[in-house]
Amino acid sequence: MDIKEFSNLMIEYGKEINIVFTEEQLQKFYEYMNLLIEWNEKINLTAIVEPKEIILKHFIDSLTIIKYIDQNKKVIDIGTGAGFPGIPIKIVRDDLKITLLDSLNKRINFLNEVIVKLGLENINAVHARIEEYAKNKQYRENYDLATSRAVANLTTLSEYMLPMVKIKGMAICMKGSEINEEISKSKNSIKLLGGEISKIEEFTLPKSDYKRNLILIEKAIQTPSKYPRKPGIPSKEPLY
C-alpha cells in the first residue's frame, strides 16, 4: 500500500472517531505499519498483517480511548505487545508521557526501534512482568491512567492495572464484544482493588462490523499492598 492510499484511509476512518491527522502523524503511522510488517516476518508480533486491517484493527482501535485522556497525563500500557494502544496514542498526543510494558524482550527490541525511527519522545519501553513492576514503589500508583488491550479477562486485568494508578486516576480496559459475564464476575475484585466501573462504552469500528467495548474504572482508594500477587497467579486464580 502506498502512502497516498494509506493516508486517505486513515483520514476517512479518523473522521469517524473525530480525529484529524497531520501529515507528519500520517507519515509516522505509515512508517510504523511498515516496520510492523517487516519485523513480523522475523518474530510473531501480530496475526493482523494486511494494511487495511492494521489501520482499522490496530491504529484506529487504539485511538478510540484518546477522548478519555486529559492533557499532560502519565500513561502505562500494560502488555503492549507490538505497541497497542500506546504508540498510536503517542503519535497523536505528544503531550502524554507513556510507558510501554511487556514481558517479552524481543517485543521491547521492536518497540525501541519504532520509538527511534519515528522520533518519539517521552515514551519508554520496559521489559518486565506487571506483577513485579507493580511492586516497585517508584512506579506503583504513579500513573494517571493505565490501559490494556485484550490481555486477560477483566478480573485479572484489574489486578494488573489498578495497583499502577493514582487515586482519582483511571484504568481503561479495551475489550471485544462479549463482556457482560466478565463485568459481572469482576465487580468484587475491582472493589477490592480500590476501583469502581464508571462507564462502559460499546461501539463498532468505522465501516465494519467489528464490535468493541471500553470499560472505564476510576481509582477510588489505595490498592492493598499484597496485590498484584506473584507472577502467574492473577491469571491462574482470578479474584472472583
Side-chain angles (χ1 to χ4, degrees):
M1 179 181 283
D2 64 29
I3 190 161
K4 186 176 180 182
E5 185 185 355
F6 173 86
S7 297
N8 287 340
L9 209 49
M10 285 286 288
I11 290 165
E12 182 184 350
Y13 289 153
K15 285 178 183 174
E16 298 283 329
I17 59 169
N18 298 312
I19 293 177
V20 177
F21 299 107
T22 66
E23 280 190 29
E24 183 184 1
Q25 288 167 352
L26 290 169
Q27 181 65 50
K28 286 180 178 178
F29 274 113
Y30 187 63
E31 191 166 356
Y32 182 18
M33 180 185 75
N34 288 327
L35 282 168
L36 178 63
I37 292 168
E38 179 191 331
W39 272 68
N40 203 60
E41 293 176 2
K42 298 178 282 185
I43 63 172
N44 182 27
L45 292 167
T46 176
I48 298 168
V49 292
E50 202 275 319
K52 288 182 181 178
E53 297 274 289
I54 290 172
I55 290 169
L56 183 66
K57 294 182 179 179
H58 281 328
F59 295 168
I60 298 299
D61 184 48
S62 293
L63 296 173
T64 56
I65 70 171
I66 274 187
K67 60 188 175 184
Y68 294 115
I69 311 177
D70 293 334
Q71 289 285 315
N72 302 310
K73 295 300 184 184
K74 197 171 180 182
V75 179
I76 182 167
D77 175 10
I78 296 168
T80 187
F84 307 116
I87 288 178
I89 290 168
K90 182 64 186 177
I91 291 172
V92 172
R93 289 283 304 278
D94 193 45
D95 59 288
L96 301 173
K97 293 181 179 177
I98 296 181
T99 296
L100 307 170
L101 189 84
D102 202 88
S103 61
L104 280 181
N105 198 47
K106 60 185 179 180
R107 292 184 190 140
I108 298 299
N109 292 336
F110 166 72
L111 296 171
N112 281 328
E113 173 147 339
V114 172
I115 289 166
V116 171
K117 288 276 179 75
L118 271 55
L120 302 177
E121 296 179 351
N122 287 321
I123 180 169
N124 65 314
V126 176
H127 176 222
R129 293 202 56 146
I130 184 60
E131 299 98 327
E132 294 166 342
Y133 190 77
K135 294 293 186 183
N136 189 319
K137 290 179 182 178
Q138 185 179 348
Y139 310 119
R140 186 182 180 87
E141 295 189 324
N142 192 37
Y143 293 88
D144 301 294
L145 185 137
T147 189
S148 192
R149 199 174 73 136
V151 164
N153 68 65
L154 188 56
T155 303
T156 301
L157 211 47
S158 301
E159 190 171 351
Y160 293 158
M161 298 170 81
L162 286 169
M164 304 309 302
V165 179
K166 297 174 182 176
I167 294 171
K168 295 187 179 178
M170 184 166 60
I172 302 181
C173 306
M174 307 179 72
K175 304 291 276 179
S177 57
E178 302 297 324
I179 60 163
N180 290 340
E181 186 178 350
E182 276 193 57
I183 288 169
S184 177
K185 285 184 173 181
S186 69
K187 283 181 178 175
N188 289 338
S189 62
I190 289 171
K191 187 176 180 181
L192 175 67
L193 295 159
E196 184 178 335
I197 294 176
S198 60
K199 183 173 183 173
I200 299 167
E201 181 191 353
E202 184 179 11
F203 60 95
T204 304
L205 286 177
K207 304 185 188 304
S208 75
D209 57 2
Y210 192 59
K211 296 191 182 300
R212 303 288 288 152
N213 279 274
L214 301 179
I215 304 161
L216 279 61
I217 304 171
E218 289 187 5
K219 178 79 169 273
I221 59 172
Q222 194 170 29
T223 302
S225 60
K226 65 180 177 180
Y227 301 112
R229 292 164 293 165
K230 290 181 180 179
I233 302 297
S235 57
K236 288 177 186 172
E237 301 173 17
L239 294 167
Y240 293 137

